[in-house]
Amino acid sequence: MTGTLAPAKQLTAADRCDRCGAQAYIRATLPVGGELLFCAHHGRQHVAVLRDKGAIIQDESARLSDTSAPAGNDER
């Protein structure tokens, strides 16, 4: 059976780091299924190894330095 990955939805303030509980900005979708969420700090620590193991990485940490856009209603 073949399939395509649906586009990952944008991470919101409700998505929390699996390591420390801070807001998640990085999602690692594992090749065996499932996903891990990381804050920017823990994402930087783990993303290289996860990518080498075949994980698909969605990195939204650039939003931390983007001050031009107001927070969405779901992030307030």
Side-chain angles (χ1 to χ4, degrees):
M1 180 171 157
T2 61
T4 58
L5 290 175
K9 63 180 174 96
Q10 184 175 8
L11 295 165
T12 68
D15 294 309
R16 309 312 285 180
C17 176
D18 290 326
R19 189 82 172 131
C20 69
Q23 183 174 348
Y25 288 95
I26 297 172
R27 173 185 286 129
T29 303
L30 305 174
V32 295
E35 65 183 24
L36 296 170
L37 300 176
F38 294 107
C39 63
H41 167 77
H42 286 113
R44 283 189 296 271
Q45 288 181 334
H46 300 289
V47 78
V49 171
L50 288 166
R51 187 176 283 126
D52 288 346
K53 294 187 182 287
I56 298 169
I57 306 299
Q58 176 185 350
D59 186 348
E60 298 180 11
S61 60
R63 290 183 6 207
L64 288 167
S65 61
D66 181 18
T67 58
S68 62
N73 288 336
D74 60 337
E75 296 180 315
R76 294 183 187 171

